[in-house]
Amino acid sequence: MDVKKQLRIATRNCGFIDPENIEDYFGVRGYEALANALTTGSPSAVVEEMKKSGLRGRGGGGFPTGQKWAFAAANQADQKYVVCNADEGDPGAFMDRAVLEGDPHSIVEAMAICGYAIGATLGVVYIRAEYPLAIKRLQQAINDARDFGLLGQDILGSGFDFDVELKYGAGAFVCGEETALIKSMEGNRGEPYTKPPFPVSSGYWKKPTVVNNVETFANIPAILIKGADWFSTIGTEKSKGTKVFALAGKIKNVGLIEVPMGTTLGEVIFDIGGGCPNGKAFKAVQTGGPSGGALTFKDIDVPIDYDSLIAKGSMMGSGGMIVMDEDTCMVDFAKFFLDFTMDETCGKCTPCRIGSKRLFEILEKITLGKGTEADIDKLRMLSNTIKDTALCGLGQTMPNPILSTMDTFMDEYRSHVIDKKCPACVCAKLMEIIILEEKCVGCTLCARICPVNCISGKIKETHHIDREV
Amino acid sequence: MSIVTKLGSVKDNKEVSKTMQSGSTCQLTGECRAPDRNTVTAGLYLELEEFINGLSQKEGHLVTVLHKAQGLFGYLPREVQQFVADQMELSLAKVYGVVSFYTFFTMVPKGKHPISVCMGTACFVKGANKLVETLKESLAVNVGEVTVDGKFSIDVLRCIGACALAPVMTIGSKVYANVTPDQIKKILEEY
Ligand SMILES: Cc1cc2nc3c(=O)[nH]c(=O)nc-3n(C[C@H](O)[C@H](O)[C@H](O)COP(=O)(O)O)c2cc1C
Ligand code: SF4
Ligand code: FES
């Protein structure tokens, strides 16, 4: 793996310190940023520094973190909350898990800093129940921080009170969406509601709430120690800092990487990832999970930042990067995501609840070889309608995998509906079985296992398939 | 299907044993193999009650309590939901609404060794659906069902964050990485 292209900020401590030992974290200047803020800084100074750094949310949306904090700080209320979104719902992404398991204290510290900046006294981490080790380590980090007086009443004699508690998710992708997350934290069904009001004005228990992603928080102590000026030199003009990606799928070097914003897709997939294994050709890479799109070889020089990826019909998302090789059928792949969203739609609004089912049905029809050209048009029209009418981000972005694969792999869709062939040989119903006559040695194996007895031939003679059967 | 029919059919122990003999294991039709209710001790209810009383506040902790309840009972049948509703001063409808929303909560028991195959994107691209097919064949049950002897159940889940090891499956709390369909037989023999 080409390590030179990487730069570790959010994952700076992962693998280097013992995550269960708070003193290890002290050794890498842990809790120094919090101590500095409490003793020599002021809440507004922290917010200003965050604004200056240009850090944008790593949970997918890319909203400027400093600005979010400033809104919450400006809203007057008797109680405010800091929420860490550790629901990491994108299947195929594990950046947040790695940070929570490898460096839990940085999250605790950053949440306390945020609490100080906006005037909150309670932080809540909403964490997936599927991550038992992360839960254990985070709980231990919270306990240890309490023992050292870094959480609780009157932290470091500054008069600032702050504590952190955990709430568990229960396996619902939509709960990663911030309004649904808040509903779920309150013990309800995790159904999103319309924004505004945004959580910064009315969130958890209707109080001003900052919701930030795990990786966003992990950046914060580093920014405050090294300074916003340092941080803002890294990355591109509108996307500062680094981004952690989880490389998975058909790629040689699977695992987590962290690269400066602006690194190209090609550098990530070929220089760092090593390309596809077994000599297979690279076909596409999906960024942004079920909300994103597939990028192909022609996009290989696209710099990775929020705006460039959106311009290409995909999105940054939380950082999952699934690489596909020539053996992947793009229609089948789009169908996989629709199957996922169909399962995960909360059902609150019609375009998403019913639309996902209809989209899935059309894709299913195509992969079964029963599609027509009209289905392709229907697919596109319905996709655009859902995009415009769904209530929350899940529904609005659900058609992206379809639209983006239709843009770049229209020929594959056409092969499925017109020639009734699956070019990647994935869709079983579109496969044609033939016997290569010159290779057939008459071993009779095929005839013996054929479920419909349509193969005839004598031992040591060429066999034939009777297509009429 | 309403909760009444879904859970009602397993309420009667006699009926449960009947379905046991008939061999049907479908969790959706309600012909499920629930454990003998007499063996569910009152002690578990007591423990749950203590947990609820130990909470700083009841408001907003329904999901927390359901996690605890499922941890104790293994699943959330109607009686447990009713108990939680009473203790939390909520309606049964509200509790059922939450239980049915989240995939983590189950209203029917799992096998002794619950098998979960990850069908997240990374595992999908690496052929997780072939694992599911092989498991279905070897155990002769569908996804969401329990084997006749109650030993295994198959479920699919969406990503456990071990995507670098795809495809992944878990049996109980043990994780199997880079699984291929031909390893399944050996893995099942461990149990
Ligand atoms: C369907 C959907 C799923 C989401 N899932 C996650 C998630 O798993 N983790 C996350 O941090 N943000 C997720 N988000 C984004 C959150 O709504 C929110 O923007 C984010 O937590 C804000 O934090 P940030 O500003 O630090 O990115 C999701 C959004 C949508 C629409
Ligand atoms: S878009 Fe989908 S997930 Fe979002 S509120 Fe509507 S139904 Fe629920
Ligand atoms: S996709 Fe299977 S573990 Fe993440």
Side-chain angles (χ1 to χ4, degrees), chain A residues 366-387:
Chain A
I366 295 177
T367 55
L368 289 176
K370 295 183 186 148
T372 61
E373 279 181 86
D375 285 327
I376 297 189
D377 297 333
K378 223 191 278 173
L379 208 52
R380 190 185 296 278
M381 199 186 73
L382 186 54
S383 293
N384 285 322
T385 312
I386 295 172
K387 228 175 149 159

Side-chain angles (χ1 to χ4, degrees), chain A residues 183-203:
Chain A
K183 282 273 163 226
S184 178
M185 279 173 31
E186 292 170 357
N188 302 311
R189 291 164 69 93
E191 289 170 351
Y193 54 85
T194 15
K195 296 186 273 191
F198 288 93
V200 284
S201 46
S202 172

Side-chain angles (χ1 to χ4, degrees), chain B residues 41-79:
Chain B
T41 55
L44 292 182
Y45 282 108
L46 213 63
E47 199 178 332
L48 186 58
E49 191 177 344
E50 271 166 26
F51 178 81
I52 294 173
N53 292 335
L55 290 171
S56 51
Q57 66 190 65
K58 285 183 182 170
E59 203 186 6
H61 278 287
L62 177 55
V63 176
T64 321
V65 170
L66 291 173
H67 268 294
K68 178 76 187 175
Q70 183 157 313
L72 288 172
F73 292 89
Y75 69 119
L76 300 170
R78 184 184 177 138
E79 298 88 325

